[in-house]
């Protein structure tokens, strides 16, 4: 089985930087994913890490440390439209099934 | 543009009804998944399929069944709907060992 933990809610200010953490305990590991989900909509893919280190994609970056079972999603130059839930998900070693954490609801304030 | 299409955005059904939720993808993906999403519980896997006519139970299969007669279509069946199956249902697809899922827009099911 897998256990994936992330904070339930976070609040940040427009223009600032926010880091959303995710820790996991798994029997197997073949990648960590971050998704963004706006209220009432489907999740959309943000980033994917399979090796240790930082992956940067514009204002969004994701970091992975496999030895620590830890990842974070970094959002820079926050905009109001970044208010959403951010889902951390781990892929098992076999197949392509993802197990999701409970999601972090981010509120961006002016 | 790649697409996963779920047949209904909103659905209201009565307790005891048999309910079919349809999902179609146009990306020739091998893998298809059904999740439900509930506040405080996140996304939980109901069933998945790696190939036509193949199905595997996820974490919460009780009260559900699935059908995959064609590669592009994965159906979720609620044999006898109950109020505790009121939820948002999300279908997703991916390539085998692909970089991630593509989700459908979801079906919000209410069982009364």
């Amino acid at each position: 089985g897998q256990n994936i933990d992330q904070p339930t809610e976070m609040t940040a200010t427009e223009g600032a930087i926010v880091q959303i953490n995710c820790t996991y305990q798994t029997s197997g590991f073949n990648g960590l994913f971050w998704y963004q989900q706006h209220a009432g909509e489907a999740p959309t893919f943000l980033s994917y890490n399979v090796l240790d280190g930082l992956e940067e994609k514009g204002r969004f970056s994701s970091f992975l440390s496999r030895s620590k079972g830890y990842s974070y999603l970094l959002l820079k130059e926050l905009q109001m439209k970044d208010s959403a839930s951010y889902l951390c998900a781990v892929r098992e070693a076999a197949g392509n099934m993802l197990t999701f954490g409970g999601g972090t609801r981010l509120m961006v304030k002016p | 543009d790649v697409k996963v299409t779920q047949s209904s955005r909103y659905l209201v059904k009565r307790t005891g009804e048999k309910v079919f939720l349809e999902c179609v993808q146009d990306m020739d993906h091998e893998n298809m998944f059904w999740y439900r999403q509930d506040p405080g519980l996140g996304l939980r896997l109901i069933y998945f399929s790696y190939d036509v006519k193949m199905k595997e139970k996820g974490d919460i299969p009780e009260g559900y069944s699935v059908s995959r007669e064609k590669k592009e279509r994965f159906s979720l069946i609620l044999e006898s709907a109950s109020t505790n199956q009121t939820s948002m249902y999300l279908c997703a697809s991916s390539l085998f060992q692909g970089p991630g899922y593509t989700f459908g827009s979801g079906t919000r099911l209410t069982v009364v």
Side-chain angles (χ1 to χ4, degrees):
Chain A
Q2 302 188 350
N3 189 35
I4 302 169
D5 290 314
Q6 49 183 132
T8 306
E9 284 190 355
M10 298 183 71
T11 303
T13 305
E14 192 175 14
I17 299 173
V18 71
Q19 178 174 310
I20 302 173
N21 295 325
C22 173
T23 58
Y24 63 90
Q25 292 174 309
T26 62
S27 53
F29 178 84
N30 193 22
L32 188 138
F33 298 77
W34 285 96
Y35 285 81
Q36 181 190 59
Q37 186 179 26
H38 285 99
E41 297 182 12
T44 55
F45 172 76
L46 283 179
S47 71
Y48 163 60
N49 295 70
V50 66
L51 299 176
D52 290 353
L54 190 68
E55 293 281 341
E56 297 189 77
K57 255 188 183 183
R59 294 190 299 114
F60 291 9
S61 304
S62 58
F63 171 82
L64 175 67
S65 168
R66 288 171 296 170
S67 62
K68 294 182 179 177
Y70 169 68
S71 174
Y72 67 72
L73 180 70
L74 194 71
L75 291 75
K76 303 175 189 174
E77 301 168 15
L78 279 172
Q79 301 175 10
M80 298 300 292
K81 67 178 183 179
D82 296 329
S83 292
S85 289
Y86 292 85
L87 311 179
C88 172
V90 174
R91 181 167 66 191
E92 295 178 348
N96 198 32
M97 188 179 70
L98 298 184
T99 300
F100 286 83
T104 299
R105 186 179 167 200
L106 174 66
M107 288 175 281
V108 180
K109 295 184 174 179
Chain B
D1 199 15
V2 296
K3 267 192 178 170
V4 177
T5 303
Q6 294 184 229
S7 52
S8 305
R9 193 69 194 266
Y10 299 95
L11 213 50
V12 180
K13 294 292 182 181
R14 295 195 180 277
T15 302
E17 275 192 80
K18 190 168 187 176
V19 181
F20 293 86
L21 302 183
E22 304 289 346
C23 176
V24 178
Q25 50 96 3
D26 64 0
M27 298 164 284
D28 202 33
H29 282 174
E30 295 88 0
N31 303 335
M32 295 189 76
F33 307 86
W34 275 106
Y35 287 83
R36 64 177 284 177
Q37 186 174 31
D38 301 287
L41 297 176
L43 275 82
R44 293 178 292 166
L45 182 65
I46 305 170
Y47 267 97
F48 60 101
S49 170
Y50 289 147
D51 202 351
V52 176
K53 296 194 185 293
M54 177 271 176
K55 59 185 178 184
E56 292 284 346
K57 292 180 180 179
D59 298 320
I60 51 164
E62 296 78 19
Y64 303 94
S65 62
V66 290
S67 172
R68 194 162 181 204
E69 295 296 316
K70 294 184 178 181
K71 189 175 185 180
E72 67 270 19
R73 185 181 296 271
F74 192 37
S75 303
L76 180 69
I77 304 155
L78 285 67
E79 297 292 341
S80 177
S82 63
T83 54
N84 63 13
Q85 292 178 309
T86 291
S87 185
M88 169 69 89
Y89 289 88
L90 288 163
C91 175
S93 73
S94 74
L95 291 168
F96 189 73
Q97 290 295 320
Y101 290 177
T102 300
F103 280 92
S105 55
T107 296
R108 186 165 290 282
L109 173 68
T110 302
V111 182
V112 297

